[in-house]
Amino acid sequence: MNLISKSDHRITQRITVSLPHYLNFICNCFTGALCQKSAFKYPPSDLPEMPPCNFKPEEYKGMSKERMMEIRRQNCNPMTMKVTYYKKPVFIHQGYMQWLWDVDGRRYLDLFAGVATVSVGHCHPKVTAAAEQQLKRLWHTTNIYVYPPLHEYCEKLASYLPDPLKVIYLTNSGSEANDLAMLMARLHTGNFDIITFRGSYHGGSPQTMGLTSNAAYKYPIANGLGCTNTMCPDVFRGPWGGSHCRDSPVQTIRECGCAQGHCMANEHYIGQLKETFATSVPSQIAAFFGEPIQGVGGAVQYPKNYLKEAYKLVRERGGVCIADEVQTGFGRTGTHFWGFQGHDVIPDMVTMAKGIGNGFPMGAVVTTPEIAASFAKGVHFNTFGGNPVACAVASSVLDVIREDGAQQISLDVGTYLMTELAKLRDKYEIIGDVRGKGLQIGVEMRRRSPFITCLYNVEIFEDIKDMGVLIGKGGVYGQTFRIKPPMCITMEDADFFLAVFNKSIQSYMERT
């Protein structure tokens, strides 16, 4: 397989690798394991000063970095090393709100939030207090008994969802929630086949691995029987797209000849979905899974009316529609509390995790009474689902989102970030696209070849870290920078990141 052609203006030699080596390369690009040394001796003298923080972290007195890496290699599972970000890993010691400190006392602005998980801030005082209070009262019991935190939380969470989404199953993770949703959909419909988008990520369990459509997360075993991936309606990288397609403050730079209120790209992508129905699944299906905005896939957005039309087609074929809100939920998109609301649809099931507990392990499936009744034919029991501490934490998270105005912060700061990042896109030809809603943001770099893109992404990625900012990466080829911070960042933080990102791109362009 040719990764680099002679036509690339940076590299003249031709490199040929086998498919297994190529897949490993892509996985390394995505996780950050393939890294180059940063060009900076941090911080550059012309970089704006990092915004102030009044919190003083504890002095680290634990084991050495060398000993941690030794244990990481010998006792932690091999995947731990494979997914480690950066050539020189960040050794995290403590966190507070949007800030992280390493074992050497260096402060970082966290714009990845533990992979879009810390919703209201690291160790938010109110959430921490709720956890401490519950820990003093009761650590654990299960659904065989009736205990207040479970019922208080289920009632509160249900109030944030539209009718008829009022029945809640609590889990410990997003993969577990999606796995459960698959089972419920199949039992309720009596059908088996499930459709997802290419480039999607819905978990890594044996069943959800089938929903996930990204080679880096696949193992060469039978998995996800009955799962079919259809074309992702990506209006930037896909075959169709224009300048008015998506619900975002920033559109693609592709030209658009559509009349007002009409989207030819949407028609073409719906046509591809119909083609999938006609060729790849039975006439009756169990479900359609879709993230309102793809997360791991790189903050990919669809044409505005796509999900509404897709839901209609799915329901005509006996299927239920499932919104995976693991990354988009809890106000992150800014305009709405749930990502699906921005598409003007009501799914039959909603799965959630990550931000639900601000980093505390928790997930949920919310569905209708009708679907829940179908699932009651057998016994479903989850030892830790609905744990009292988890419920107390998650309940506090909902309170803090409201009290701190986190959803409005997502809208205001996120819109500002994207608008300013779009100016950098217009300035630097290696930036291909800026997209997203609220604080679910993707910056996709132009892709000459997977190898070339990975190289300059990694260099820029390292430089950003060395200047004191942590972001993530995503996309099938690791070509997209992911910006998904805790929903407590300020405009001052945004300006600091913009200066850092501009400096990193500028320095890369100068070097090459």
Side-chain angles (χ1 to χ4, degrees):
M1 180 177 297
N2 298 322
L3 291 184
I4 304 175
S5 69
K6 292 181 180 179
S7 62
D8 192 285
H9 72 277
R10 298 183 208 278
I11 295 179
T12 57
Q13 83 181 78
R14 188 177 183 89
I15 296 178
T16 304
V17 297
S18 65
L19 181 59
H21 284 99
Y22 169 76
L23 293 176
N24 186 61
F25 165 79
I26 291 299
C27 183
N28 285 337
C29 284
F30 180 82
T31 62
L34 183 73
C35 295
Q36 303 295 313
K37 186 175 181 180
S38 168
F40 291 123
K41 294 179 181 178
Y42 67 87
S45 58
D46 58 344
L47 189 69
E49 186 176 350
M50 183 178 284
C53 174
N54 295 326
F55 182 83
K56 186 176 180 180
E58 301 171 3
E59 182 182 356
Y60 178 73
K61 298 179 180 179
M63 66 173 63
S64 69
K65 290 186 280 188
E66 293 76 17
R67 180 58 181 151
M68 278 191 274
M69 291 307 295
E70 183 180 355
I71 293 170
R72 197 170 179 88
R73 293 186 182 96
Q74 293 180 357
N75 302 119
C76 298
N77 71 77
M79 194 56 64
T80 308
M81 284 300 300
K82 193 170 186 177
V83 301
T84 300
Y85 270 11
Y86 307 115
K87 181 180 179 68
K88 293 181 179 180
V90 180
F91 293 79
I92 298 299
H93 165 50
Q94 195 165 355
Y96 182 77
M97 302 305 283
Q98 67 268 45
W99 303 106
L100 290 170
W101 287 263
D102 67 15
V103 297
D104 298 318
R106 186 168 182 221
R107 179 161 58 106
Y108 295 89
L109 175 61
D110 181 14
L111 297 189
F112 200 32
V115 192
T117 300
V118 179
S119 48
V120 296
H122 293 281
C123 302
H124 190 290
K126 292 180 180 178
V127 180
T128 301
E132 289 176 345
Q133 186 178 33
Q134 187 58 48
L135 280 167
K136 292 176 182 177
R137 184 182 299 122
L138 178 66
W139 281 34
H140 176 72
T141 186
T142 71
N143 291 335
I144 62 174
Y145 305 114
V146 181
Y147 51 100
L150 171 68
H151 304 84
E152 291 167 1
Y153 179 65
C154 285
E155 181 183 44
K156 186 181 290 186
L157 179 60
S159 72
Y160 282 81
L161 287 134
D163 289 329
L165 295 166
K166 297 299 178 183
V167 183
I168 297 166
Y169 295 81
L170 295 176
T171 67
N172 306 290
S173 71
S175 290
E176 187 183 333
N178 284 334
D179 201 291
L180 178 60
M182 293 175 73
L183 175 59
M184 295 173 73
R186 284 168 169 164
L187 284 171
H188 177 68
T189 63
N191 303 323
F192 193 72
D193 287 75
I194 298 174
I195 294 175
T196 63
F197 290 135
R198 294 173 196 157
S200 64
Y201 181 85
H202 297 285
S205 69
Q207 285 299 311
T208 58
M209 199 185 301
L211 299 178
T212 294
S213 177
N214 187 318
Y217 297 96
K218 297 284 192 180
Y219 286 89
I221 59 169
N223 63 81
L225 184 63
C227 295
T228 297
N229 306 127
T230 193
M231 178 181 284
C232 177
D234 181 347
V235 298
F236 172 69
R237 289 185 63 241
W240 306 287
S243 57
H244 305 285
C245 296
R246 61 193 182 201
D247 179 18
S248 172
V250 178
Q251 300 294 327
T252 73
I253 58 174
R254 298 175 77 162
E255 294 183 0
C256 183
C258 298
Q260 188 172 2
H262 181 71
C263 182
M264 291 187 65
N266 185 58
E267 291 180 0
H268 285 300
Y269 286 119
I270 287 294
Q272 286 294 309
L273 179 59
K274 291 178 178 178
E275 189 76 8
T276 299
F277 285 131
T279 62
S280 304
V281 294
S283 59
Q284 295 288 292
I285 65 170
F288 167 79
F289 263 84
E291 302 163 89
I293 300 173
Q294 283 194 345
V296 174
V300 175
Q301 291 182 279
Y302 327 126
K304 293 173 186 174
N305 290 316
Y306 181 91
L307 283 186
K308 185 181 289 188
E309 294 182 38
Y311 275 27
K312 182 175 182 292
L313 293 171
V314 169
R315 286 166 173 156
E316 287 173 354
R317 288 157 178 80
V320 296
C321 299
I322 303 171
D324 182 337
E325 294 275 358
V326 169
Q327 293 199 29
T328 50
F330 299 93
R332 180 161 289 279
T333 62
T335 56
H336 300 87
F337 199 82
W338 305 107
F340 68 78
Q341 292 170 318
H343 294 273
D344 193 25
V345 296
I346 296 179
D348 303 294
M349 279 192 261
V350 182
T351 60
M352 58 194 74
K354 290 189 181 286
I356 192 175
N358 199 44
F360 196 94
M362 191 176 187
V365 179
V366 183
T367 190
T368 68
E370 182 184 7
I371 293 174
S374 300
F375 192 56
K377 297 172 184 176
V379 176
H380 171 75
F381 183 77
N382 188 321
T383 301
F384 295 106
N387 169 272
V389 179
C391 289
V393 167
S395 182
S396 178
V397 168
L398 289 177
D399 292 341
V400 168
I401 290 172
R402 184 188 70 254
E403 293 166 6
D404 290 6
Q407 183 177 327
Q408 189 65 43
I409 290 172
S410 289
L411 178 61
D412 295 343
V413 180
T415 300
Y416 174 71
L417 265 172
M418 280 181 277
T419 303
E420 294 302 308
L421 285 167
K423 295 176 184 177
L424 297 182
R425 176 200 63 189
D426 298 338
K427 180 179 178 181
Y428 298 112
E429 59 92 21
I430 64 170
I431 302 177
D433 194 33
V434 173
R435 56 179 175 260
K437 285 186 68 177
L439 291 174
Q440 177 92 344
I441 301 170
V443 179
E444 180 161 340
M445 309 305 282
R446 290 193 185 277
R447 199 162 61 86
R448 292 184 178 86
S449 73
F451 187 82
I452 296 298
T453 304
C454 181
L455 284 182
Y456 65 64
N457 276 18
V458 167
E459 289 189 35
I460 294 165
F461 192 62
E462 290 279 333
D463 288 347
I464 291 170
K465 180 264 291 184
D466 287 341
M467 287 187 279
V469 181
L470 305 179
I471 60 172
K473 289 194 292 183
V476 174
Y477 303 102
Q479 77 276 17
T480 303
F481 293 125
R482 297 165 67 194
I483 302 158
K484 303 174 182 185
M487 298 185 292
C488 57
I489 67 166
T490 66
M491 290 293 187
E492 193 176 7
D493 299 330
D495 282 331
F496 177 68
F497 166 67
L498 289 164
V500 166
F501 191 64
N502 179 61
K503 180 66 176 176
S504 65
I505 300 290
Q506 188 180 65
S507 297
Y508 174 79
M509 297 294 284
E510 289 172 356
R511 293 196 300 269
T512 56

